[in-house]
Structure formats: C-alpha cells, structure tokens
C-alpha cells in the first residue's frame, strides 16, 4: 500500500495553468483535527493513547480544459503541514512534517463533493530508536523520515465560501530501509475540518471534450541513480553509511497523454550491498548488479509516476529474491532534464530511496 499510492501524489501543472486565468481557479484553506483509531503498543512504556494531530492545507483547483485533460478529471493540488502527538512522549514523542498532495474529484454536486487524495512528504520525529535509551522503539530510526498517505474526503457546503470536511486517512511513516530498525508506523485516523474557499467553482460540461492528439508516442529516459544506506553495526564491523551509484535506461510507448508502457535496464554499483556480500561470506561473487525492468508510467503534466517490476539477472548466485519492484516520482523540465527519486521494494519490504537525475527524450 505504501508504494502503490505514489502514482497519485502530485499535480503541479495545475498551478502553472491556473495563473493564466484566476477566475477559473478555486483556492482552499483547510484546518483539520485528526483522531487516531488505535494506539501503537509495541513500545515500553505503552500508554494506550491514540495519536491526535492537526493539519493545515492549501490547495488550488483549475477547471480549464487543459487541466482536465491531464487525468480526465478535475483535481485539487496542494501542500500540507501537520503536527502529530503520539501521546507517548517517552518512547514515541511527536512529529511535524509537510508535503504535497493530489486530490481527484470523484463526485461533485451543488452542495456536496467527494474526492480521494494521495500525499507524500517529510516529517521530523523527536524520539527514535536508541539501543540504550529507547530500545523498544522499532518503528523509527531516523529523525527525518518520509510520510505517505491516502484519504477519502467529503465536503459539504455551508455557504458559498465555507464548507465542512469529513475525511478518513491512512498515513505511513518510514525511512524506506535507509537505516534499521525500520518497522514503520501506520496511522489510520478520522478527521473533521473547516474549509474556506476563495470562490465557488463552476464545473464545465466535459462530455463534449476530447483529449488533444499526441505529437510523439515513443519516449526514453537516461537517468543516473545515487543513494546512501546505513549498514547496522555487527560484532566484526562498526555502523557504516555506504553509497550506491547506478544507471537507469528506459524506453516507452505512450498509449495516451497520461499512460505509458515502458521497460529497460538498470546497472548498479552498490557499496552497501558489497559489504553485505562480505558479511554473508559469499565467496568469489561479484556484488555488482544488472536488472531488466518492465512496467507502467502515469504522466501528470510534468510529473511522472512510475511502477516497474525488476528481474535481477546479474547478482551473486546465492542471493534471493531475484525480483523486486521500483516505484518512482520524476519531474521533467521543458528542456528534458529530469529529476526525482525511486523506492525499491521486495513486496512490503522497502530497501531504500534512490535519487535520480538525467534526461527524458
């Protein structure tokens, strides 16, 4: 679940388009109060208290045809800031974070709207794992971690500019395996919010609209990859922060403005993995890796959300599994320069972030 929602995280082109005609843009300011649904209890002391939080949102909704063509829907794009009290100050502390969200409208009526949201951001944690002072906190081991979330939101109009918001949220905090332990924490919650809108949007009749024709269908990415992961201390070796470098080459075919099938190869020189191979005592094994990739990309204006399966064809022979998943978010400038990140995972087990930079052709 943590990875699958990456493909709906952002829609920044709506902001660029919105500047051209402010009368076609609705902006919202929201304050929400969250009540957690269960208490994290695998810590000492375990208080039994559920998390509580406050969240501030700012978003914009464009109703122009060009905005609608991005995903065949009207969608809000925005930023959020939140503060979460785990209500367990000794073991878990508190966290504060900020990030971005993308919120497609799935139902819009005169007084009631319904939407789904995907979000991604960073959060600062005040209490993390420490072998001496906080050994039972297996949830967090880095003060700066990622927060990924999904939610279902309902809005009811009180006046032209004031709405009430009821929502159900599912957030996940993790460092994606950058440092262990990293059990991560799921935070389901219910929220109530008060919404102020700058104006009441008028939704055009989209049944007469058609997508603009594609000019180019074949695309290619050439991306350099880099990351750092922390190898835990062992009886023979101290804790080590080790880098990874690689090259990712992909080619794809655009089925439509938003949907792309793509595949390619990934070549990796990972010093973290090299040290792991030594600790596993694999003899006469090359630690370098090559992977064949095949999957899907969702293009949302300049934002690209990617999901690929990988077959690790070059690897140490004893090493398993031979397959993994890659989920990514990329931003493509007009010049073709592309930057972003990937998350590597084996099923629900994440194995670290990788930062990307290169060209899209």
């Amino acid at each position: 679940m943590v990875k699958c929602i990456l493909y709906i995280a952002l829609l920044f082109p709506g902001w660029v388009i919105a500047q051209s005609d402010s009368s076609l843009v609705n902006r919202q300011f929201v304050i929400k109060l969250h009540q957690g649904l269960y208490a994290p209890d695998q810590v000492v002391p375990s208080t039994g208290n559920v998390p509580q939080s406050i969240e501030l949102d700012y978003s914009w909704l464009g109703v122009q045809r060009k905005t609608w063509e991005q995903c065949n829907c009207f969608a809000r794009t925005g930023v959020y800031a939140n503060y979460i009290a785990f209500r367990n100050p000794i073991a878990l502390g508190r966290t504060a974070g900020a990030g971005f969200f993308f919120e497609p409208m799935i139902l819009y009526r005169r007084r009631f709207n319904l939407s789904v949201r995907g979000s991604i951001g960073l959060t600062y944690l005040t209490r993390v794992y420490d072998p001496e002072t906080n050994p039972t906190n297996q949830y967090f081991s880095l003060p700066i971690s990622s927060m990924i979330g999904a939610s279902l939101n309902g809005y009811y109009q009180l006046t032209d500019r004031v709405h009430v918001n009821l929502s159900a949220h599912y957030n996940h905090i993790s460092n994606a395996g950058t440092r262990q332990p990293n059990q991560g924490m799921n935070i389901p919650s219910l929220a109530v919010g008060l919404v102020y809108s700058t104006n009441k949007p008028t939704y055009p009749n989209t049944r007469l609209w058609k997508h603009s024709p594609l000019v180019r269908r074949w695309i290619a990415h050439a991306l350099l990859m880099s990351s750092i992961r922390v190898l835990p201390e062992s009886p023979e070796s101290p804790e080590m922060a080790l880098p990874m470098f690689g090259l990712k080459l992909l080619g794809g075919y655009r089925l439509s403005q938003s949907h792309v099938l793509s595949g390619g190869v990934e070549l990796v020189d990972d010093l973290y993995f090299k040290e792991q191979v030594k600790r596993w005592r694999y003899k006469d094994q090359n630690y370098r890796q090559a992977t064949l990739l095949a999957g899907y990309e969702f293009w949302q204006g300049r934002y690209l959300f990617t999901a690929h399966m990988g077959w690790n064809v070059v690897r140490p022979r004893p090493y398993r599994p031979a397959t993994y998943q890659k989920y990514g978010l990329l931003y493509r400038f007009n010049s073709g320069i592309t930057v972003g990140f990937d998350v590597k995972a084996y099923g629900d087990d994440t194995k670290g972030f990788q930062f990307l930079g290169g060209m899209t052709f």
Side-chain angles (χ1 to χ4, degrees):
M1 184 272 178
V2 174
K3 286 80 65 176
C4 295
I5 63 177
L6 284 171
Y7 80 99
I8 60 170
L10 300 168
L11 181 62
F12 268 115
W15 181 84
V16 178
I17 297 166
Q19 306 310 303
S20 61
D21 190 347
S22 60
S23 66
L24 296 177
V25 178
N26 171 255
R27 303 179 189 278
Q28 281 190 350
F29 301 86
V30 186
I31 182 170
K32 294 182 182 179
L33 298 177
H34 291 250
Q35 179 75 18
L37 298 183
Y38 65 79
D41 58 2
Q42 299 178 24
V43 291
V44 177
S46 178
T47 64
N49 295 327
V50 299
Q52 293 178 335
S53 64
I54 185 170
E55 178 183 325
L56 301 175
D57 297 345
Y58 168 68
S59 67
W60 50 94
L61 169 69
V63 294
Q64 306 93 328
R65 175 171 177 171
K66 190 173 182 180
T67 304
W68 176 84
E69 284 184 345
Q70 297 294 331
C71 66
N72 199 24
C73 67
F74 293 115
R76 290 194 172 278
T77 306
V79 295
Y80 74 86
N82 63 12
Y83 173 87
I84 302 173
F86 296 112
R87 303 177 71 199
N88 186 335
I90 296 175
L92 297 175
R94 302 170 300 279
T95 187
F100 311 96
F101 64 83
F102 172 54
E103 187 175 333
M105 311 293 293
I106 58 177
L107 177 68
Y108 37 93
R109 297 292 185 261
R110 189 174 67 88
R111 298 183 68 88
F112 178 75
N113 294 330
L114 189 66
S115 63
V116 294
R117 174 187 293 192
S119 63
I120 185 170
L122 296 175
T123 194
Y124 173 76
L125 297 149
T126 62
R127 294 286 290 162
V128 298
Y129 168 82
D130 185 279
E132 296 181 359
T133 63
N134 200 10
T136 66
N137 183 354
Q138 300 288 308
Y139 294 109
F140 315 126
S141 59
L142 277 179
I144 301 296
S145 294
S146 65
M147 178 180 286
I148 301 174
S151 65
L152 177 67
N153 296 268
Y155 299 88
Y156 184 77
Q157 179 183 338
L158 301 178
T159 71
D160 281 350
R161 297 198 177 191
V162 179
H163 296 68
V164 64
N165 165 243
L166 296 176
S167 51
H169 294 254
Y170 188 94
N171 291 318
H172 178 81
I173 298 176
S174 171
N175 68 45
T178 302
R179 170 178 279 173
Q180 299 297 330
N182 182 48
Q183 179 179 328
M185 181 180 290
N186 299 319
I187 311 173
S189 64
L190 298 177
V192 59
L194 190 64
V195 183
Y196 175 79
S197 297
T198 56
N199 60 290
K200 183 178 179 179
T202 300
Y203 296 97
N205 184 356
T206 60
R207 288 178 293 181
L208 303 178
W209 289 357
K210 296 180 180 179
H211 286 294
S212 301
L214 280 173
V215 178
R216 290 180 55 192
R217 288 193 176 271
W218 291 99
I219 61 96
H221 306 298
L223 302 168
L224 296 175
M225 307 186 302
S226 182
S227 73
I228 294 177
R229 294 183 65 193
V230 178
L231 198 66
E233 181 181 1
S234 72
E236 297 82 15
S237 304
E239 181 180 88
M240 291 184 284
L242 299 167
M244 180 278 287
F245 302 98
L247 176 65
K248 187 174 185 177
L249 302 173
L250 293 172
Y253 181 77
R254 297 186 70 172
L255 302 174
S256 67
Q257 295 281 3
S258 299
H259 305 288
V260 179
L261 297 179
S262 63
V265 64
E266 191 172 88
L267 308 174
V268 173
D269 190 319
D270 187 347
L271 297 185
Y272 176 97
F273 188 66
K274 179 181 181 180
E275 187 63 28
Q276 276 192 323
V277 169
K278 288 182 180 178
R279 293 189 181 186
W280 293 334
R281 293 179 170 83
Y282 292 170
K283 294 184 178 180
D284 303 321
Q285 295 292 317
N286 184 3
Y287 69 94
R288 295 181 178 88
Q289 301 170 74
T291 300
L292 298 178
L293 299 171
Y296 166 78
E297 302 178 17
F298 180 70
W299 288 38
Q300 191 63 48
R302 298 189 187 200
Y303 284 84
L304 286 61
F305 308 90
T306 65
H308 292 92
M309 285 295 299
W311 178 28
N312 208 186
V313 292
V314 176
R315 66 185 190 282
R317 285 191 299 274
Y319 180 66
R320 297 291 185 275
T323 59
Y324 59 81
Q325 305 92 51
K326 295 293 289 288
Y327 303 93
L329 170 63
L330 302 173
Y331 183 84
R332 178 175 52 89
F333 293 92
N334 280 338
S335 62
I337 293 175
T338 302
V339 296
F341 67 87
D342 273 348
V343 175
K344 183 178 180 180
Y346 301 105
D348 289 333
D349 186 9
T350 53
K351 294 296 184 181
F353 288 106
Q354 298 166 1
F355 295 97
L356 307 177
M359 294 291 295
T360 294
F361 305 95

